[in-house]
Amino acid sequence: MSFGGLLVVLVVAVAAPLIVGLVPAIRVPAVVLEIVLGVLLGPSVLGWVEIDAPIEVVSVIGLAFLLFLAGMEIDLERLRGRTLRLAALGLAASAAVAVVVGLGLDAAGLGNGLFLAIVLLATSLGLVVPVLKDAGHTDSSTGQLVIAGATVADFSAVILLSLLFSEEATGLSTKLVLLGAFVAAAGVVAAGLAWSGRSMRLNAVFERLEDTTAQIRVRAAVAIMVGFAALAGELGLETILGAFVAGALLRVVDKEELARHPRFAEKLEGIGYGFVIPVYFVTSGLRFDADALFASPSTVARVPLFVLALLVVRGLPAVLYRPGLVDQRAVVAAGLLQATSLPFIVASTQIGLEMGLVNEANTAALVGAGLLSVILFPPVAVGLLQDSGQRGPTAAPAYSR
C-alpha cells in the first residue's frame, strides 16, 4: 500500500492556509483553496493524484469528523426562542421554494424534481462553521442564526434523503421505523452518558487518564462518533446524520465537562481540522469530474443556473431573519452563507446518480455550482459581517481575509 497520494494531499492541506495567510490578495477561505487545489492536482486537470485506499479512508473519516465537530458547535441554549423560530421559518420558506424550483428543473429535464429540491435545501454546516469560527463570528447573533438555520436545514435534508431516496430498498414506513429506532438509541446513549457523568469514581478515572497517553475523553468521543455513524448506516440512514447527532449529543450531555476541560475540544479539533477534515476537502476536489462538466456548452450553462437555484432556495429566505439581525448587510451575509453548499451536494448526487435520479452531466453541473458557492459566497459574507456592527474576536488569517 502506497501513501504517496496521501502525502500530496497533506502537503496541499499544509500549503493552502499558508498561502492564504501569506498572500493577503487571496480573499478566500483556506477550505476553498484546498478544494480548488484538489481539482487542479486531480484526474480532471493535471492528473498527479488519484483517490486510492488511504486517501479514501481518511476522507471518509474526515467527513464524519466534519459533521461531528459541526454538531458540537450547536448551542441548544441559544437554539431556541426567537433564533429557533426564525430558523424554522426560514427552513419552511426554503422548502416551499425548493419544491417549486425542483419541479421547474424537472420540467426542464435536469433531474427528479423532489430529489433536486432536497439537494438544494441543505447548507454546508461543516463549511460554514469553520468560516464563522475562524472569522470570530460563531457567537454573534448572525453566526448563531446562520448555524441554527444550517442545522435545521442539514438535519431536514439528510433525513429526507434517507427516507425518500436512500439506496436501501425499503418502504417509507419501514424507514420511519428505523429512524425511530435511531432516535431511541440516541436517547439510550444520552441517558448512559448522563449517568456516567454523575459517577464520581468514573469521573476520577477520566480526570486521571485524560491528559495521559490514554487520552480517554478523546477515545470515548471518537468511539461515540463512529458508533452513531455505524448505527445510522446499519439502519439504512445516512452515516453523516449519525456523526452530526453524535456531536450534538456530546455537546448537550457533556456541556459542563466541555466547559471544565476546554483542552478536550481543542484535541478533537486538532484531529479534525489538523488532519482528517482537510483531506476530505482536498479529496472533494479530486472527485470533481471536469470532463463531464465541459463535455458540452449546455452542461456548463447549467452551473450558473444551479448557483442561482441555491441563492433562491437558501439565500432568499434569509430576509425573514431581519428581526434578529443588526442591519441589511448581516441579512445578506446570512443569505450567502446559507446558500453555501458542497459536501451534501457531492454525497447526495452520488446517490442520485446510482439511483438514476440525475445524470452525469447534471451531477457535474451541480457539483460545479456547489464549488462556486464555496468560492464566492463565504468571502463576501465575512466581508459584510466585518463591515456591519458585528465584529468578532481575533480572526484567523486563513478565513478572515
Side-chain angles (χ1 to χ4, degrees), residues 69-331:
L69 292 177
M72 288 186 63
E73 290 288 343
I74 303 305
D75 188 348
L76 291 182
E77 289 188 357
R78 299 185 68 170
L79 187 57
R80 60 184 181 181
R82 184 173 66 170
T83 299
L84 183 58
R85 287 196 299 272
L86 289 174
L89 184 62
L91 176 64
S94 287
V97 175
V99 171
V100 175
V101 172
L103 291 176
L105 294 173
D106 192 349
L110 300 181
N112 180 280
L114 183 56
F115 172 76
L116 292 174
I118 294 173
V119 172
L120 296 172
L121 188 61
T123 293
S124 288
L125 183 66
L127 275 168
V128 169
V129 168
V131 170
L132 288 171
K133 186 179 184 67
D134 285 347
H137 286 284
T138 51
D139 291 327
S140 69
S141 58
T142 303
Q144 280 296 305
L145 191 49
V146 169
I147 291 174
T151 299
V152 296
D154 274 11
F155 256 126
S156 301
V158 171
I159 290 174
L160 287 171
L161 184 68
S162 296
L163 293 178
L164 300 178
F165 297 107
S166 174
E167 295 176 89
E168 297 290 330
T170 55
L172 179 58
S173 59
T174 302
K175 291 177 182 176
L176 288 172
V177 172
L178 294 175
L179 180 61
F182 178 79
V183 172
V188 171
V189 173
L193 290 174
W195 173 84
S196 65
R198 293 191 294 268
S199 171
M200 296 182 62
R201 182 178 180 183
L202 191 58
N203 278 331
V205 174
F206 268 73
E207 293 278 355
R208 188 171 70 251
L209 297 178
E210 65 177 342
D211 290 324
T212 68
T213 55
Q215 294 293 332
I216 194 66
R217 290 189 187 277
V218 174
R219 294 189 189 192
V222 173
I224 291 171
M225 178 195 74
V226 174
F228 270 87
L231 177 62
E234 288 296 320
L235 294 176
L237 305 172
E238 295 301 320
T239 55
I240 54 177
L241 173 63
F244 184 83
V245 169
L249 187 66
L250 191 64
R251 172 66 181 257
V252 172
V253 175
D254 214 24
K255 183 176 181 179
E256 293 183 2
E257 293 299 320
L258 287 170
R260 285 200 297 266
H261 305 282
R263 291 180 61 190
F264 168 50
E266 292 175 2
K267 292 172 184 177
L268 290 174
E269 290 181 354
I271 298 172
Y273 294 122
F275 176 30
V276 293
I277 292 175
V279 172
Y280 167 72
F281 284 131
V282 178
T283 305
S284 296
L286 295 177
R287 294 186 193 279
F288 184 67
D289 190 351
D291 292 336
L293 177 61
F294 295 106
S296 67
S298 63
T299 303
V300 177
R302 295 169 200 172
V303 175
L305 176 63
F306 286 130
V307 171
L308 178 62
L310 285 170
L311 280 171
V312 171
V313 172
R314 291 298 292 142
L316 189 59
V319 298
L320 300 173
Y321 296 166
R322 184 64 184 90
L325 298 181
V326 175
D327 58 22
Q328 192 61 40
R329 287 170 294 187
V331 174

